[in-house]
Amino acid sequence: MSASNDKILIIGAGGQIGVELTENLSTIYGSSNVIASDLKVSPYLPNNPFEILDALDKNALFEIVKKHGITHVYHLAALLSATGEQNPMFAWKLNMESLFHVLDLAKEKHIKQIYWPSSIAVFGPTTPQINTPQYTVMEPSTIYGISKQAGERWCEWYFKKFGVDVRSIRYPGLIGWKSAPGGGTTDYAVHIFYEALKTGTYESFLSENTTLPMMCMEDAIRATLEIMHAPAEKIKIRSSYNLSGLSFSPKEIADEIRKHIPNFKMSYKPDFRQQIADSWPKSIDDSSARIDWGWKEKYNLEALVKAMLDNLKTKT
Ligand code: NAD
Ligand code: SER
């Protein structure tokens, strides 16, 4: 699966996905071969080599790639949907320019392979919301979604034009217990567990029947490793793959939490994130990922809620 001279750089390693990806990649490649980087040190990160890196600094990125002999880059740094709407021009700059820096490294043959995540945010209010197909109407209405859709187009273009081996997944909302989420519309489905255990109450910023596609972090990390380790000929989509785990609404997750914490109380106070959520799919057709590289999720709602509560109880 991994060659002995493979060296991994994770950009944005201190975030919700990066912490868990760093751990999992270290198991495969060895900690000393997985370089974590971010704007600042994260207390959640394991004990890997760490570099302070601003993904917008192309020269600093190049120096780190050369210094460590990096072969593979997992580029996770981005502003997500909610924070992106509050700082749209910076979201566009960060999400696009940093991607170009990484794509250019591969185009110029300094690195061999790139992972860059896209999102269900590439879809918009005119997209069919149930079992959203891989290929469909895409008119994203957030700057985040626009940047991810443009990023997908650029990834495919770099692949076709220069043979850049870039692979990507349109993650749904991700739910994990090892680190905090960073400004997404789906984050309520993480915060709810902390509050359920701490106070027994939670005020959701999405309305009770807002169904969205979600996924347990363990499944998302496994999917990421599976797509990256699949033989190149199996990766038939070089923009980004639809990926599905499960779908639920705030009411449904609250009901499932109540099976463990019977007095848990949920209230609803939708804010600006409601409009974003309303523009996204409710469920995803991921048959291309299943056929091309064998994707299959493990977690349903029952297993996800149990895993989150069990793990957070031992963490706190
Ligand atoms: P996050 O906000 O938790 O983490 C992002 C990390 O990037 C943070 O540690 C942040 O410090 C870092 N960062 C920000 N600006 C940077 C810069 N200029 N240089 C270097 N690092 C910088 O986000 P996440 O949830 O881990 O998401 C990672 C990627 O996955 C993003 O591209 C996001 O769009 C995508 N994604 C996430 C989800 C989800 O539900 N978490 C869903 C779909 C797609
Ligand atoms: N979970 C992400 C968000 O809400 C989707 O990309 O922004």
Side-chain angles (χ1 to χ4, degrees), residues 92 95-104 106-107 114 116 118 122 146-168 238-240:
W92 176 253
N95 296 2
M96 297 312 303
E97 281 182 24
S98 62
L99 175 60
F100 287 134
H101 296 340
V102 176
L103 287 170
D104 282 339
K107 174 189 155 195
I114 298 167
W116 171 81
S118 185
V122 294
I146 296 168
S147 72
K148 289 293 185 187
Q149 191 196 28
E152 287 189 8
R153 300 284 86 228
W154 279 105
C155 286
E156 189 186 271
W157 189 80
Y158 268 73
F159 170 74
K160 286 189 172 157
K161 200 91 177 167
F162 307 114
V164 166
D165 186 359
V166 54
R167 304 177 183 202
S168 178
R238 293 293 183 154
S239 50
S240 192

Side-chain angles (χ1 to χ4, degrees), residues 288-305:
S288 294
R290 289 172 195 266
I291 293 164
D292 291 358
W293 44 276
W295 165 246
K296 186 162 179 15
E297 78 287 354
K298 281 190 185 153
Y299 280 82
N300 59 17
L301 183 57
E302 193 184 341
L304 171 77
V305 168

Side-chain angles (χ1 to χ4, degrees), residues 228-301:
M228 286 296 274
H229 293 146
E233 65 274 14
K234 289 200 179 282
I235 308 302
K236 303 202 178 356
I237 294 173
R238 293 293 183 154
S239 50
S240 192
Y241 275 93
N242 275 8
L243 199 74
S244 171
L246 65 164
S247 287
F248 58 78
S249 65
K251 180 178 183 315
E252 286 165 333
I253 195 173
D255 287 346
E256 190 60 38
I257 289 174
R258 243 174 247 120
K259 291 182 186 165
H260 302 261
I261 306 173
N263 293 329
F264 175 61
K265 289 199 174 40
M266 181 88 151
S267 58
Y268 301 91
K269 194 175 176 196
D271 65 14
F272 73 100
R273 288 167 281 195
Q274 182 66 45
Q275 203 181 358
I276 300 176
D278 287 341
S279 76
W280 287 353
K282 296 184 187 305
S283 58
I284 298 287
D285 175 351
D286 63 356
S287 41
S288 294
R290 289 172 195 266
I291 293 164
D292 291 358
W293 44 276
W295 165 246
K296 186 162 179 15
E297 78 287 354
K298 281 190 185 153
Y299 280 82
N300 59 17
L301 183 57

Side-chain angles (χ1 to χ4, degrees), residues 85-121:
E85 287 309 282
Q86 282 153 352
N87 201 347
M89 291 320 291
F90 182 70
W92 176 253
K93 181 179 170 68
L94 173 62
N95 296 2
M96 297 312 303
E97 281 182 24
S98 62
L99 175 60
F100 287 134
H101 296 340
V102 176
L103 287 170
D104 282 339
L105 281 174
K107 174 189 155 195
E108 291 155 15
K109 311 280 183 226
H110 300 296
I111 58 173
K112 290 198 282 198
Q113 200 188 34
I114 298 167
Y115 179 74
W116 171 81
S118 185
S119 161
I120 52 166

Side-chain angles (χ1 to χ4, degrees), residues 11-19 37-40 42 53-57 75-81 83 90 94-95 98 115-121 144 148 169-175 179-184 186-187 217:
I11 304 175
Q16 194 198 5
I17 300 171
V19 167
S37 74
D38 206 304
L39 291 174
K40 56 182 188 322
S42 157
L53 173 65
D54 180 347
L56 287 170
D57 187 339
H75 175 30
L76 307 177
L79 280 202
L80 277 76
S81 59
T83 39
F90 182 70
L94 173 62
N95 296 2
S98 62
Y115 179 74
W116 171 81
S118 185
S119 161
I120 52 166
Y144 174 67
K148 289 293 185 187
I169 288 170
R170 293 171 181 154
Y171 290 135
L174 302 184
I175 301 162
S179 59
T186 56
D187 291 358
M217 185 64 82

